[in-house]
């Protein structure tokens, strides 16, 4: 897979954007009709299998979308290759760490 | 190659360059995206902390309701609203929605990949304006919704 060019990042960027857009609409509807009243309901909603799957997919799409977006910005403005490499590595590491953190937080909801 | 490059006129007087409205919508999309990306560590931390315990949940809500939290929320609401609508604009442009063959306001002939012979600058400008104004409106709506969700 070509990481820095070609059609695949472009397609992933748009697919993740569409999923995030759907999440936003769903979240707005949920907040409008049945917003969680306090911690217990918030926790229960995310701990539900559907809530966990939606939250995990949401953060995965968000991090993927962020990676492609920041990558495009750096490709445009950061010209020295070594600096690009450093920044790409730092951003990728931060996003992978974020995904891991979300996974751990979701697993902890079930005492894992 | 080098010869051609040196002859190209360069005009980078930032105070005198007028950005077309499409360029403003576009650079705004980028700035807003980078803003949300910069806020991600805080957003993920808030999400994780809000699930840990009743106490940490309250701490996150209190932080969001502090003056600095509200300011950050307002900026992020705008950034998200603009990024979303300007992103939809990009999707529509991918689908060649900005080209409106036969529109009365069409100002010139532009052959885009041979698919359309007439391009409507009017439509492109209207879309850019919609993204900019709509982004502000959506941002304020989101902020209001967030305020009511955060109310005790």
């Amino acid at each position: 897979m070509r990481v820095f060019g070609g059609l695949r990042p472009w397609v992933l960027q748009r697919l993740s954007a569409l999923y995030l857009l759907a999440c936003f609409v769903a979240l707005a509807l949920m907040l409008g009709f049945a917003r969680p009243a306090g911690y217990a309901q918030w926790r229960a909603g995310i701990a539900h299998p559907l809530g966990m799957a939606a939250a995990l997919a949401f953060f995965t799409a968000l991090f993927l979308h962020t990676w492609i977006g920041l990558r495009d910005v750096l490709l445009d403005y950061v010209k020295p290759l070594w600096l690009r490499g450093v920044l790409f590595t730092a951003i990728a590491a931060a996003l992978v760490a974020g995904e891991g953190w979300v996974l751990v937080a979701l697993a902890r909801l079930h005492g894992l | 190659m080098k010869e051609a490059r040196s002859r190209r006129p360069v005009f980078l007087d930032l105070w005198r360059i007028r950005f077309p409205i499409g360029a403003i919508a576009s650079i705004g999309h980028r700035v807003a995206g980078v803003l949300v990306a910069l806020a991600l560590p805080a957003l993920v931390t808030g999400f994780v902390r809000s699930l840990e315990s009743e106490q940490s949940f309250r701490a996150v809500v209190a932080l969001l309701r502090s003056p600095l939290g509200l300011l950050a929320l307002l900026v992020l609401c705008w950034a998200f609203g603009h990024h979303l609508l300007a992103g939809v604009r990009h999707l529509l442009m991918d689908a060649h929605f900005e080209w409106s063959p036969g529109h009365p306001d069409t100002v010139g002939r532009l052959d885009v990949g041979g698919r359309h012979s007439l391009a409507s600058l009017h439509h492109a400008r209207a879309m850019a304006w919609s993204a900019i104004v709509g982004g502000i409106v959506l941002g304020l709506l989101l902020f209001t919704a967030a305020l009511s969700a955060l109310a005790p």
Side-chain angles (χ1 to χ4, degrees), chain B residues 2 7 15-16 18 30 32 38-39 59 93 105 129 138 143 150:
Chain B
K2 214 159 185 134
R7 270 195 218 151
W15 298 107
R16 290 172 64 201
R18 292 268 197 95
R30 202 158 244 209
L38 289 176
M93 284 166 71
D105 287 333
W129 273 112
L138 183 58
F143 185 62
L150 286 171

Side-chain angles (χ1 to χ4, degrees), chain A residues 10 14 35 39 42 76-77, chain B residues 30 50-51 53 91 94 149:
Chain A
W10 185 89
R14 273 135 182 94
R35 83 179 160 90
Y39 173 69
W42 164 243
D76 279 355
Y77 302 127
Chain B
R30 202 158 244 209
S50 76
L51 289 171
S53 68
L91 288 177
D94 288 345

Side-chain angles (χ1 to χ4, degrees), chain B residues 116-147:
Chain B
H116 305 278
S117 57
L118 293 167
S120 169
L121 188 61
H122 176 85
H123 271 215
R125 286 175 59 86
M127 263 173 54
W129 273 112
S130 309
I132 291 168
V133 177
I136 295 170
V137 173
L138 183 58
L140 287 174
L141 273 175
L142 281 172
F143 185 62
T144 320
L147 279 186

Side-chain angles (χ1 to χ4, degrees), chain B residues 13 26 29 35 44 46 53 69 90 102 105 110 129-130 139 143 147:
Chain B
D13 188 343
S26 188
H29 180 249
L35 273 178
V44 175
S53 68
H90 280 154
D105 287 333
L110 238 167
W129 273 112
S130 309
F143 185 62
L147 279 186

Side-chain angles (χ1 to χ4, degrees), chain A residues 10 14 18 21 24 35 38-39 42-43 46 55 59 62-63 65-66 70 72-73 76-77 101-102 105 109, chain B residues 27 30 34 37 40 44-45 47-48 50-54 57 80 83-84 88 90-91 94 138 142 148-149 151:
Chain A
W10 185 89
R14 273 135 182 94
L18 288 175
L21 182 63
F24 168 70
R35 83 179 160 90
Y39 173 69
W42 164 243
R43 194 200 139 100
I46 299 289
F59 279 107
L62 185 62
F63 292 147
H65 193 80
T66 304
L70 289 182
D72 287 350
V73 171
D76 279 355
Y77 302 127
W101 201 23
V102 169
L109 289 176
Chain B
I27 196 71
R30 202 158 244 209
V34 170
L40 271 190
V44 175
T45 307
F47 175 75
V48 172
S50 76
L51 289 171
E52 269 170 8
S53 68
E54 172 105 45
F57 175 83
F80 181 73
H83 194 79
L84 196 160
V88 170
H90 280 154
L91 288 177
D94 288 345
L138 183 58
L142 281 172
S148 76

